Amino acid sequence: MKNEPATTTRREFIQKAATITALGFALPHVAVAARRKPARKPSPNSRIHVGLIGCGGMGRSNLALCAREPDVVVTAACDVFDARLEATVESYQPTCKGYVDFREMLLQPDLDAVIIATPEFWHAPLSVQAAYAGKDVYCEKPCSMSIQESWALADAFR
């Protein structure tokens, strides 16, 4: 018997390569899904206390999405329009407190994060103030109106 090299057609090679590639992408995802633990009820100490600055339509929508999570508690809302502020605070009673001045809200010690959904020109100044107050920030886009505001944001979050 001769020692001939095994010949593989081009079609067979592509099929084998596609199968190996697909398995290479799929197996890590299957392994991660298999290791997931069932959802647990968080303890009161591990909850994230969230506040909203700008109680308009988009802000309330973002807040509602966050509030659906079991480990999120809405503790503060801020808006200059009384009707929107009162409606938001009423929706998240008894944990939510209303503020007209965002600076007072940022002084709240149990506030962990803020959602900023104000007009665009307020995004960077409010985000910088929240960062210096030690709060995590979710901000609507655009986060800044100029490169200088972007640099200020980067410095504040650094």
Side-chain angles (χ1 to χ4, degrees):
M1 207 169 172
K2 289 184 181 177
N3 237 353
E4 292 182 20
T7 58
T8 303
T9 66
R10 183 176 182 181
R11 182 175 301 234
E12 292 171 334
F13 174 78
I14 290 174
Q15 287 174 339
K16 287 179 184 176
T19 303
I20 291 169
T21 303
L23 287 174
F25 283 117
L27 285 179
H29 298 291
V30 170
V32 168
R35 283 184 276 159
R36 285 194 182 134
K37 295 180 182 174
R40 61 171 179 72
K41 181 120 174 129
S43 71
N45 292 337
S46 67
R47 291 187 162 175
I48 301 168
H49 296 258
V50 176
L52 172 65
I53 302 175
C55 300
M58 199 66 201
R60 290 198 57 188
S61 176
N62 289 334
L63 186 63
L65 288 172
C66 288
R68 279 197 279 180
E69 297 299 319
D71 57 348
V72 172
V73 178
V74 178
T75 57
C78 178
D79 202 297
V80 294
F81 295 109
D82 290 336
R84 288 193 300 205
L85 178 60
E86 289 169 7
T88 305
V89 170
E90 187 176 312
S91 298
Y92 297 100
Q93 284 297 336
T95 58
C96 186
K97 182 178 178 188
Y99 296 89
V100 176
D101 189 347
F102 74 93
R103 292 168 292 213
E104 290 178 27
M105 185 180 110
L106 293 177
L107 292 175
Q108 187 173 334
D110 65 340
L111 186 64
D112 299 317
V114 293
I115 298 170
I116 298 175
T118 58
E120 296 171 351
F121 54 86
W122 277 108
H123 289 180
L126 292 174
S127 296
V128 167
Q129 290 289 324
Y132 284 132
K135 312 302 181 199
D136 291 323
V137 175
Y138 171 80
C139 184
E140 287 290 308
K141 65 179 185 175
C143 286
S144 64
M145 302 297 286
S146 68
I147 192 68
Q148 291 82 7
E149 286 184 349
S150 297
W151 291 334
L153 280 170
D155 290 341
F157 283 102
R158 227 178 264 132

